[in-house]
Amino acid sequence: MSDVFISYPRSTAKQAQAVAEALRALGYSVWLDDELPAHRAYTRVIEEELASAKAALVIWSAEAVKSEWVMSEANRARELHKLVQLAIDDSRLPMPFEQIQCADLTGWAGEADAHEWRKVVASLADVTGAPSVAPPVADIPLPLPSKPSIAVMPFANLSGDPEQQYFADGMVEEVVNALSRFRSLFVIGSGSTLTFKGKAVSPQEVARQLGVRYVLEGSVRKAAGRVRIIIALIGTGDGSLIWTERFEDTLEDVFALQDRVALRAAGSIEPTVQTTEIRRATKRPTENMGSYDLYLRAWPLHRKYTKADTLQALNLVNRAIELDPEYGSALVLAAVCHNLIDLYGWSDDAEANRRRGLEMARRALVAAGDDASVLAHAAFAVAHLERDDGAAVELLERAIALNPGCSAVWFMSGLVRLRVGNIDLAIAHLETAMRLDPIGPDLPNQIGFMAWARFQQRRFNESITLAKEFVRQKDHPRGYAFLAASYGHLGEIEAAKEALGRYRALAPQPIDAFARSFILDSDHRKLFLDGIALADV
């Protein structure tokens, strides 16, 4: 008689063996069907082992859901009141098992201290009547939230002046408040993190107690009327340094300085965390992706601005929406993809694509109308797909009020201001976006649109400098279009022809079609096409 009978399909034998080994290490006797004797009917042996075991552990997966054997064993275990369940992917459990608690061991690699594994161990102890080998609840690490989680730790006061501790603590409060405006982040309140003040704790210990994937550490040093603040973002899994920045300023206005540092820090941390999360998601097995991971995989693809990548991004994000129809970030990314398809003429049914994009934008606003990033990206879709610039500007003003530290909000605002011809304000907003996130993945596109803004101001030399940097970082046809028109107006015909040739080699649409879809203002479109005409002689 075994303590634990394990039910699983043959395709997940490796995971079943890992579970069995972990249970044996805890002192349980375990039976797997790889121990079937050669001289007996296997159905009779399985029936006997299941009936005599103290507990039956069912390992659910996509294949297990389809397996008649696993279903039969699970039903028998439920009838005998000895069923314990765990899942190793995000497949939906069949009825009635979806109504019974099931530990989520997706991605589990045998960690004895994993929160969901401890739940399995505790359930087995309860069913078998064995002494619990799980630690007290207080010692169990908190589970990670479904979105990126961060704790801002107390800043070290390196000034040698205890009176300056108030400034260091105030910095923590301001950074927490700024980060909390990002709905994409789970931020631990400063009341919890300040309890660690004066204590030497590792990032891993903070992760265990607070349930976070990232910690932000900082130090403050004041001397001769100036203050230096150093901030570092650290991954709690391996203690690796992800991002660091130094701020230095005068102490003339302490509160204004705290505001500036908090906005800059938050504006850099959020895209840095997103990039790190994308790298993490792309390392996970594709068959186990949930809605959030599908969204993360789609995000960098849409930034490539090619037809194949955009369509792949849309496919991924549509799958994310199928899993979670109220996921605002996924809905708005779908709207953005439809917007790009319309902008570059990649759809055989432009009107259906336009309607679908607007539907996604409206659903995103209903689902996440308090998320500044969702508002801003929906605004750009509304501006282009519905040609309603007034509504777009209203959405952007709400987004800026909600989160002035979000680089993406200022970037989208700059693009819409370019559309409506408010060039000076567009440049100011693009500059703010680049200042908040000076090395992020959006920077090449921000530079490219700055080139377009300077072109509209007839500052063709500046437009050329910016467009050359844009195509150096991202070999995109839009940059070559700006270069060709700018060179044309300056009379540099050979350079203009070379840029125009490069545009035609890369572009999905003729230059005049690009002008019609991209440039709404008739005067600016004429200025652009006049420059192209000078190049195309």
Side-chain angles (χ1 to χ4, degrees):
M1 182 177 70
S2 302
D3 292 323
V4 182
F5 173 100
I6 297 182
S7 174
Y8 65 99
R10 185 59 54 191
S11 59
T12 59
K14 183 178 179 181
Q15 293 92 327
Q17 285 288 352
V19 169
E21 290 172 12
L23 290 176
R24 287 172 180 142
L26 296 173
Y28 287 101
S29 58
V30 178
W31 190 87
L32 295 166
D33 65 2
D34 60 355
E35 300 172 16
L36 285 166
H39 65 287
R40 296 190 60 197
Y42 67 88
T43 53
R44 180 65 59 84
V45 175
I46 290 174
E47 207 168 13
E48 290 175 358
E49 292 292 341
L50 178 55
S52 63
K54 295 178 182 178
L57 178 61
V58 177
I59 300 178
W60 289 111
S61 63
E63 291 302 316
V65 170
K66 302 174 187 175
S67 169
E68 292 182 6
W69 282 106
V70 174
M71 284 289 293
S72 176
E73 291 162 1
N75 269 316
R76 181 65 61 85
R78 182 175 61 88
E79 291 168 359
L80 295 172
H81 306 289
K82 60 173 69 176
L83 174 66
V84 177
Q85 304 186 118
L86 67 85
I88 58 174
D89 63 25
D90 57 3
S91 300
R92 184 171 181 175
L93 271 60
M95 293 178 64
F97 303 103
E98 63 178 352
Q99 304 298 321
I100 303 170
Q101 182 179 357
C102 180
D104 182 5
L105 261 66
T106 303
W108 183 66
E111 303 92 341
D113 60 348
H115 181 74
E116 292 294 299
W117 173 247
R118 290 172 183 262
K119 285 168 61 176
V120 173
V121 173
S123 294
L124 286 172
D126 184 50
V127 173
T128 62
S132 177
V133 294
V137 173
D139 292 335
I140 298 177
L142 285 176
L144 292 172
S146 58
K147 55 186 176 181
S149 48
I150 184 169
V152 183
M153 302 304 292
F155 284 16
N157 175 22
L158 304 181
S159 305
D161 178 5
E163 293 296 321
Q164 292 305 312
Q165 188 62 51
Y166 80 92
F167 179 79
D169 292 347
M171 276 305 326
V172 172
E173 296 274 3
E174 291 301 323
V175 172
V176 167
N177 289 338
L179 286 172
S180 297
R181 298 186 181 192
F182 290 92
R183 296 294 182 263
S184 58
L185 299 177
F186 182 94
V187 185
I188 297 294
S190 58
S192 291
T193 58
L194 286 174
T195 63
F196 290 94
K197 187 163 60 176
K199 300 176 183 178
V201 289
S202 67
Q204 290 82 0
E205 178 62 17
V206 174
R208 192 187 71 81
Q209 294 194 39
L210 299 182
V212 293
R213 185 169 283 137
Y214 306 94
V215 295
L216 188 72
E217 297 180 347
S219 64
V220 176
R221 185 186 299 274
K222 174 180 171 290
R226 296 186 66 81
V227 64
R228 175 181 296 171
I229 302 165
I230 298 177
I231 300 177
L233 183 68
I234 298 169
T236 59
D238 56 6
S240 60
L241 178 65
I242 297 172
W243 167 88
T244 186
E245 189 162 341
R246 184 176 73 178
F247 305 89
E248 194 165 345
D249 210 330
T250 66
L251 275 170
E252 292 177 1
D253 188 335
V254 169
F255 299 116
L257 174 61
Q258 288 179 339
D259 287 344
R260 286 197 302 274
V261 173
L263 285 175
R264 283 283 305 280
S268 297
I269 289 168
E270 192 270 344
T272 300
V273 166
Q274 185 187 58
T275 301
T276 305
E277 290 286 297
I278 288 169
R279 285 199 296 267
R280 181 185 63 81
T282 54
K283 293 179 181 178
R284 294 187 63 180
T286 56
E287 67 271 16
N288 292 336
M289 292 187 298
S291 183
Y292 177 60
D293 279 0
L294 286 163
Y295 164 77
L296 288 177
R297 289 170 183 264
W299 186 259
L301 288 171
H302 98 277
R303 280 193 175 119
K304 295 182 179 180
Y305 299 104
T306 68
K307 181 177 181 180
D309 288 314
T310 302
L311 293 178
Q312 185 181 353
L314 184 57
N315 176 57
L316 288 167
V317 81
N318 280 336
R319 288 167 58 192
I321 293 167
E322 287 177 8
L323 293 174
D324 184 356
E326 305 302 318
Y327 188 5
S329 295
L331 289 163
V332 84
L333 181 53
V336 169
C337 289
H338 284 290
N339 195 19
L340 291 173
I341 291 168
D342 184 81
L343 183 64
Y344 292 113
W346 290 333
S347 174
D348 295 331
D349 189 342
E351 181 57 26
N353 175 75
R354 189 188 72 84
R355 289 196 303 269
R356 181 64 172 167
L358 284 173
E359 177 195 349
M360 293 293 101
R362 289 165 182 153
R363 285 177 58 185
L365 291 172
V366 171
D370 61 346
D371 186 322
S373 180
V374 168
L375 284 171
H377 286 94
F380 188 59
V382 167
H384 181 76
L385 295 175
E386 199 164 27
R387 300 292 193 266
D388 192 342
D389 294 318
V393 168
E394 288 182 12
L395 289 172
L396 287 162
E397 288 175 349
R398 283 172 52 196
I400 291 170
L402 278 169
N403 192 353
C406 181
S407 174
V409 168
W410 293 101
F411 182 24
M412 293 298 105
S413 183
L415 298 189
V416 172
R417 310 297 174 167
L418 277 175
R419 284 176 52 88
V420 300
N422 195 339
I423 309 304
D424 291 340
L425 188 58
I427 288 172
H429 287 194
L430 289 172
E431 287 176 339
T432 300
M434 289 187 281
R435 186 167 66 250
L436 285 169
D437 186 18
I439 58 173
D442 276 331
L443 183 62
N445 290 309
Q446 291 164 353
I447 292 172
F449 283 106
M450 187 69 81
W452 175 236
R454 293 304 186 193
F455 178 88
Q456 292 182 65
Q457 291 179 322
R458 298 176 180 264
R459 294 161 67 167
F460 302 123
N461 282 315
E462 291 179 48
S463 178
I464 287 169
T465 299
L466 290 162
K468 287 171 72 173
E469 177 60 21
F470 173 44
V471 298
R472 186 189 71 79
Q473 296 192 36
K474 185 185 286 288
D475 195 32
H476 194 278
R478 186 173 63 241
Y480 292 106
F482 299 158
L483 279 172
S486 298
Y487 278 129
H489 279 291
L490 292 177
E492 299 183 32
I493 304 304
E494 289 305 314
K497 286 183 175 181
E498 182 180 349
L500 187 57
R502 185 62 182 156
Y503 169 85
R504 286 171 172 158
L506 296 174
Q509 58 190 156
I511 194 80
D512 57 337
F514 165 78
R516 286 195 301 273
S517 63
F518 186 80
I519 311 167
L520 296 185
D521 182 85
S522 58
D523 291 338
H524 291 145
R525 190 186 310 126
K526 181 177 185 305
L527 181 69
F528 172 79
L529 290 174
D530 286 348
I532 294 297
L534 292 167
D536 199 19
V537 293

